[in-house]
Amino acid sequence: MKKDMIYNFAAGPAMLPKEVLIQIQQDIQQYKISQTSILELGHRTIEFENILSNVKSQLKTLLSIPDTYEILFTQGGASLQFAMIPMNLMHNKQADYILTGLFSELAYEEAKLYGTIRVAGSTKDMQYCQIPTQQMLDISKDSSYVYMCWNNTVYGSMWHTVPDTKGIPIVADMTSCLLTQQIDVEKFGVIFAGTQKNLGIAGLCVVIIRKDLITSTRTSIPTLMRYDVLSKANSMYQTPPIFAIYVVDKVLEWMKQQGGIQVLENQNKEKSSLLYNYLDQSEFYETKINPTDRSIVNVTFYTPNEQLDAKFIQEAKQNGLFNVQGHKHVKGIRVSLYNAMPIEGVKALLSFMIAFESRYKSFV
Amino acid sequence: MKKDMIYNFAAGPAMLPKEVLIQIQQDIQQYKISQTSILELGHRTIEFENILSNVKSQLKTLLSIPDTYEILFTQGGASLQFAMIPMNLMHNKQADYILTGLFSELAYEEAKLYGTIRVAGSTKDMQYCQIPTQQMLDISKDSSYVYMCWNNTVYGSMWHTVPDTKGIPIVADMTSCLLTQQIDVEKFGVIFAGTQKNLGIAGLCVVIIRKDLITSTRTSIPTLMRYDVLSKANSMYQTPPIFAIYVVDKVLEWMKQQGGIQVLENQNKEKSSLLYNYLDQSEFYETKINPTDRSIVNVTFYTPNEQLDAKFIQEAKQNGLFNVQGHKHVKGIRVSLYNAMPIEGVKALLSFMIAFESRYKSFV
């Protein structure tokens, strides 16, 4: 099969724009004036300093991040933030967590190691088929922050409005959606995202944090896990994951060339609508997520039975539509339509879905 | 300047073998049968499972690691081990640290957050010009482990024999020397190494740990920092830094093709001896490290004064000898002769040193 006919719908690590892959390939052998490969570049070089400051300024521009926020880069992925958030922010030993899927559950379990964690809202008893409404939330004024996962990669649901938390800072895991849509950064205290979905490769996490939340009161925290230490050292307290940061730089440049976040958001809405519109009229496929809470980047659905799901996944792969299987927690089918997925890929998927339905609908 | 005439003596991130860079470049566009780029490869794929198991088996073979040891991969570099080691291993709240340079000092400072840390030996008052002798060590039988840094990248010193710790497990930071020489793994409880010097790129740490030291008694440790969790999850509790692990795989293959660790050790000894022999007979250059404690991978030396050091660094660069400046803690000159540095690079450096000496010796 020709590579040009393959579309990778993986939820992450995910596909990268082709233009970015070509650029990276060129830089492997020689990186501009440093005359060493990007894979050999030191972090105490002007070249890397430029990359790091370029990543920051591009993020600031693309997301309209105000000067009252700082951008930090850490290792350990989004998962290490599950510990760093409570360690750094839970000054009064209590925080509110809203449960909307697997990754908010994991963050909740981790936070319980460090203080009293309240469930301020949960749709678990509905199998996470929807996002809690404002009325379903119970925010405590004594909590240091309210934690949420903006886009639920496993279930395919997404917040579409920022809840009112009565002034308590919101901490949002945006691993699977940062830079796929406009967000109003000022409504959040902390936004973080592992980079292996829309921003680049695995091994790096971007943390956008309101500066007043960076404090240094708990010195028993491992040094590398302190936001104040990372901030003071410009995210270079230790050797940072240079190549992963460089890849983000290239991806952000690509996003800018595409026209910025609004253009990408429009594309992602167009891509996901193509699928949702078809799913909604189909009597063969079913999507379980409440229409107003659907993700624009992770679309989940089911055929009439598990055998057909398996057949769908298998035949999709034969047709160049890779990695469409659902997460093991929910099974079924999941396709991820991150920024790098061209609309041609979604159209190819849709054609396949239509053909698959007409081939198998009489058997059920 | 042609790239073939450039030698990168950086202490890390450091140069990679050219053959490895070429291999990586090929895999960026397409990775074998997965038909996706290595930069897009998921961790739950057969391709990545193969890479991970290949890295482990190659490490086991190259270093003769017994089955009583486990190999773990973590993010956060060697620096996060400074916290993970005491968190996981300091069961009786006391550990011994031997101070031989900057990185053992940093590990010592971090460990103090978690218990009582004894200094079991230190050559700080000698400006770390030597490694402590057995007689200089004072190991407590009540300590959970004895911590050491095998090769001191900043100062250019190295342990050449494993000290007798009366059965207390030794934890050794081998970030700058793992795979540059034969080691007797069984003499250590834990060996760890950030990968950005001899094994690959930054963003990954390899931990070789005796299985009986992996316990699960302290559940208040952040989940991602627990060796038992990493071990149970085969280092995939979270999305691992896939590309960084893949690079290690390629570097290990290269090491095998070179003839294995004994061949590389011989080369590293030959390379460093070329420089030490010249330095010892020179009245212009000075190296401060005790002859029996010298590193075979980081050679540090000084010209007669700081102005000439600066000139040396500048002229070296003009001659294609990159990144020879000493660490800011000790200044002077430092050249790193890791596995990927060919002997031609060292010979080019030596020629330059001879010419520089003859050019400037009459001025001092």
Side-chain angles (χ1 to χ4, degrees):
Chain A
M1 198 177 301
K2 278 173 69 184
K3 181 152 166 47
D4 285 351
M5 296 174 63
I6 292 170
Y7 296 104
N8 176 8
F9 291 93
M15 68 180 293
L16 287 166
K18 195 176 175 181
E19 299 86 340
V20 171
L21 288 177
I22 291 167
Q23 175 69 62
I24 293 171
Q25 198 172 38
Q26 287 165 0
D27 286 356
I28 297 284
Q29 280 299 319
Q30 189 155 321
Y31 185 73
K32 292 181 183 164
I33 54 162
S34 78
Q35 295 176 296
T36 55
S37 166
I38 178 62
L39 295 172
E40 304 167 323
L41 188 66
H43 55 302
R44 306 282 181 206
T45 58
I46 292 165
E47 292 85 1
F48 182 68
E49 272 176 36
N50 288 343
I51 291 172
L52 190 64
S53 86
N54 210 34
V55 169
K56 283 191 191 184
S57 67
Q58 289 198 90
L59 277 171
K60 283 188 87 160
T61 305
L62 285 166
L63 292 172
S64 305
I65 301 172
D67 288 339
T68 45
Y69 286 73
E70 187 152 339
I71 303 170
L72 306 175
F73 301 92
T74 70
Q75 296 184 49
S79 300
L80 200 61
Q81 295 307 308
F82 297 171
M84 285 174 72
I85 293 287
M87 279 176 160
N88 284 276
L89 302 183
M90 199 161 52
H91 297 299
N92 43 1
K93 293 279 183 190
Q94 183 186 295
D96 277 10
Y97 276 63
I98 305 175
L99 306 185
T100 54
L102 177 64
F103 286 101
S104 48
E105 278 184 23
L106 289 172
Y108 167 70
E109 292 300 328
E110 186 73 19
K112 285 200 283 187
L113 296 176
Y114 313 101
T116 305
I117 309 299
R118 297 176 71 250
V119 175
S122 171
T123 49
K124 187 169 187 173
D125 56 1
M126 306 173 193
Q127 289 79 51
Y128 294 128
C129 73
Q130 73 166 76
I131 295 292
T133 61
Q134 183 70 43
Q135 291 69 36
M136 290 163 73
L137 299 180
D138 166 32
I139 310 290
S140 164
K141 63 174 173 33
D142 298 323
S143 284
S144 294
Y145 60 89
V146 179
Y147 184 97
M148 66 180 337
C149 181
W150 189 259
N151 181 73
N152 300 285
T153 325
V154 171
Y155 290 84
S157 69
M158 178 181 240
W159 291 79
H160 288 269
T161 51
V162 183
D164 177 6
T165 56
K166 304 168 190 168
I168 310 288
I170 298 176
V171 174
D173 178 356
M174 293 201 183
T175 294
S176 46
C177 59
L178 191 69
L179 294 156
T180 64
Q181 60 181 168
Q182 301 274 21
I183 46 165
D184 186 351
V185 173
E186 287 193 279
K187 291 192 172 166
F188 299 88
V190 181
I191 292 167
F192 67 89
T195 55
Q196 73 275 16
K197 293 171 193 285
N198 276 290
L199 282 82
I201 63 171
L204 178 67
C205 184
V206 175
V207 180
I208 302 164
I209 181 167
R210 223 173 63 203
K211 285 178 181 167
D212 65 292
L213 296 174
I214 302 175
T215 55
S216 54
T217 46
R218 292 186 61 189
T219 49
S220 63
I221 301 172
T223 308
L224 279 175
M225 296 175 80
R226 287 171 53 183
Y227 290 139
D228 62 323
V229 169
L230 292 176
S231 164
K232 206 172 153 190
N234 190 24
S235 301
M236 291 203 283
Y237 182 83
Q238 62 172 165
T239 313
I242 294 162
F243 182 73
I245 292 172
Y246 151 86
V247 174
V248 173
D249 188 34
K250 294 297 159 206
V251 171
L252 295 177
E253 276 175 26
W254 176 85
M255 289 181 183
K256 188 180 159 194
Q257 286 159 10
Q258 300 304 300
I261 301 303
Q262 188 59 57
V263 171
L264 294 168
E265 176 176 339
N266 294 346
Q267 288 173 0
N268 293 328
K269 283 179 174 168
E270 187 187 353
K271 289 184 287 181
S272 54
S273 292
L274 271 182
L275 298 184
Y276 287 127
N277 290 342
Y278 179 69
L279 290 168
D280 282 341
Q281 61 73 47
S282 166
E283 288 176 8
F284 182 80
Y285 299 105
E286 179 196 15
T287 175
K288 296 184 177 175
I289 304 300
N290 192 26
T292 58
D293 300 321
R294 289 171 178 171
S295 169
I296 62 168
V297 283
N298 306 107
V299 177
T300 57
F301 58 93
Y302 298 82
T303 70
N305 60 57
E306 284 195 24
Q307 289 71 35
L308 279 174
D309 286 347
K311 206 177 271 293
F312 183 99
I313 293 160
Q314 181 198 0
E315 291 190 14
K317 184 161 188 183
Q318 288 160 0
N319 283 271
L321 308 166
F322 281 25
N323 300 314
V324 302
Q325 65 275 29
H327 189 278
K328 64 185 174 187
H329 273 73
V330 295
K331 303 200 173 97
I333 295 149
R334 171 179 60 179
V335 291
S336 298
L337 317 176
Y338 300 134
N339 290 335
M341 174 60 66
I343 192 147
E344 291 74 23
V346 183
K347 286 179 178 167
L349 172 66
L350 185 61
S351 299
F352 170 78
M353 286 168 69
I354 294 168
F356 189 87
E357 174 173 350
S358 81
R359 207 154 54 241
Y360 290 103
K361 68 180 170 188
S362 57
F363 292 94
V364 291
Chain B
M1 197 176 302
K2 280 173 67 183
K3 179 151 168 48
D4 284 352
M5 294 173 63
I6 292 170
Y7 296 104
N8 176 8
F9 291 93
M15 69 181 292
L16 287 166
K18 196 175 175 181
E19 298 87 341
V20 171
L21 288 177
I22 292 168
Q23 175 69 61
I24 293 171
Q25 201 173 36
Q26 288 166 359
D27 286 355
I28 297 282
Q29 282 298 320
Q30 190 158 320
Y31 186 73
K32 291 181 184 165
I33 53 161
S34 79
Q35 294 175 296
T36 55
S37 166
I38 178 63
L39 294 172
E40 304 168 321
L41 187 66
H43 54 302
R44 305 284 181 204
T45 58
I46 291 165
E47 291 85 359
F48 181 69
E49 271 176 37
N50 288 343
I51 290 171
L52 190 64
S53 87
N54 209 34
V55 168
K56 284 191 190 183
S57 67
Q58 288 197 92
L59 277 170
K60 284 189 85 160
T61 305
L62 285 165
L63 292 172
S64 306
I65 301 173
D67 288 338
T68 45
Y69 287 73
E70 187 151 339
I71 303 169
L72 305 175
F73 300 91
T74 70
Q75 295 184 49
S79 301
L80 199 62
Q81 295 308 306
F82 297 171
M84 284 175 72
I85 293 287
M87 280 177 159
N88 282 277
L89 302 183
M90 199 161 51
H91 298 297
N92 42 1
K93 293 276 181 191
Q94 183 186 295
D96 277 11
Y97 276 63
I98 305 175
L99 306 185
T100 53
L102 177 64
F103 286 99
S104 47
E105 277 185 22
L106 288 172
Y108 166 70
E109 291 300 329
E110 186 73 20
K112 285 200 283 188
L113 296 176
Y114 313 101
T116 305
I117 309 299
R118 298 176 70 250
V119 175
S122 171
T123 49
K124 187 169 188 171
D125 57 0
M126 307 172 192
Q127 290 77 49
Y128 294 129
C129 74
Q130 72 166 78
I131 295 293
T133 60
Q134 183 70 43
Q135 291 68 37
M136 291 163 74
L137 299 180
D138 165 33
I139 310 291
S140 163
K141 65 176 173 34
D142 298 322
S143 284
S144 294
Y145 60 88
V146 178
Y147 184 96
M148 65 178 340
C149 182
W150 189 258
N151 181 72
N152 300 285
T153 324
V154 172
Y155 290 84
S157 70
M158 180 179 239
W159 291 79
H160 288 269
T161 50
V162 183
D164 177 5
T165 57
K166 303 168 191 167
I168 311 287
I170 297 176
V171 174
D173 178 356
M174 293 201 182
T175 294
S176 46
C177 61
L178 191 68
L179 294 157
T180 64
Q181 61 180 168
Q182 300 273 22
I183 46 164
D184 186 351
V185 172
E186 287 194 279
K187 290 191 172 166
F188 300 89
V190 181
I191 292 167
F192 67 90
T195 55
Q196 73 275 16
K197 293 169 193 284
N198 275 291
L199 281 80
I201 63 172
L204 178 67
C205 184
V206 175
V207 180
I208 302 164
I209 182 168
R210 224 173 61 202
K211 285 177 181 169
D212 64 292
L213 295 174
I214 303 174
T215 54
S216 53
T217 47
R218 293 188 58 190
T219 49
S220 64
I221 301 172
T223 309
L224 278 175
M225 296 174 80
R226 287 171 54 184
Y227 291 139
D228 61 324
V229 169
L230 293 177
S231 164
K232 207 172 153 190
N234 190 25
S235 300
M236 291 203 283
Y237 182 81
Q238 61 172 166
T239 312
I242 293 161
F243 182 72
I245 292 172
Y246 151 86
V247 174
V248 173
D249 188 34
K250 294 296 161 206
V251 171
L252 295 177
E253 276 176 25
W254 176 85
M255 289 181 183
K256 187 180 157 194
Q257 285 159 11
Q258 301 303 300
I261 301 303
Q262 188 59 55
V263 171
L264 294 167
E265 176 176 339
N266 293 346
Q267 288 172 1
N268 293 328
K269 284 181 174 168
E270 186 186 352
K271 291 183 287 181
S272 54
S273 293
L274 271 181
L275 298 183
Y276 287 128
N277 289 342
Y278 179 68
L279 290 167
D280 282 341
Q281 62 74 47
S282 166
E283 287 177 7
F284 182 80
Y285 300 106
E286 179 196 15
T287 176
K288 296 185 176 175
I289 303 301
N290 192 26
T292 56
D293 300 321
R294 290 171 177 171
S295 170
I296 62 169
V297 283
N298 306 106
V299 178
T300 57
F301 57 93
Y302 299 82
T303 69
N305 61 57
E306 284 195 23
Q307 290 72 34
L308 279 175
D309 285 348
K311 207 178 271 293
F312 183 99
I313 293 160
Q314 181 198 359
E315 292 190 14
K317 185 163 187 181
Q318 289 159 359
N319 283 271
L321 308 166
F322 281 27
N323 300 313
V324 303
Q325 65 274 28
H327 189 278
K328 63 184 176 188
H329 273 75
V330 295
K331 301 200 174 99
I333 295 150
R334 171 179 58 179
V335 291
S336 297
L337 317 176
Y338 301 134
N339 289 337
M341 173 60 67
I343 193 147
E344 291 74 25
V346 183
K347 286 180 178 167
L349 171 67
L350 184 61
S351 299
F352 171 77
M353 287 169 68
I354 294 168
F356 189 87
E357 173 172 350
S358 81
R359 207 153 55 241
Y360 291 104
K361 68 180 169 190
S362 55
F363 292 94
V364 292

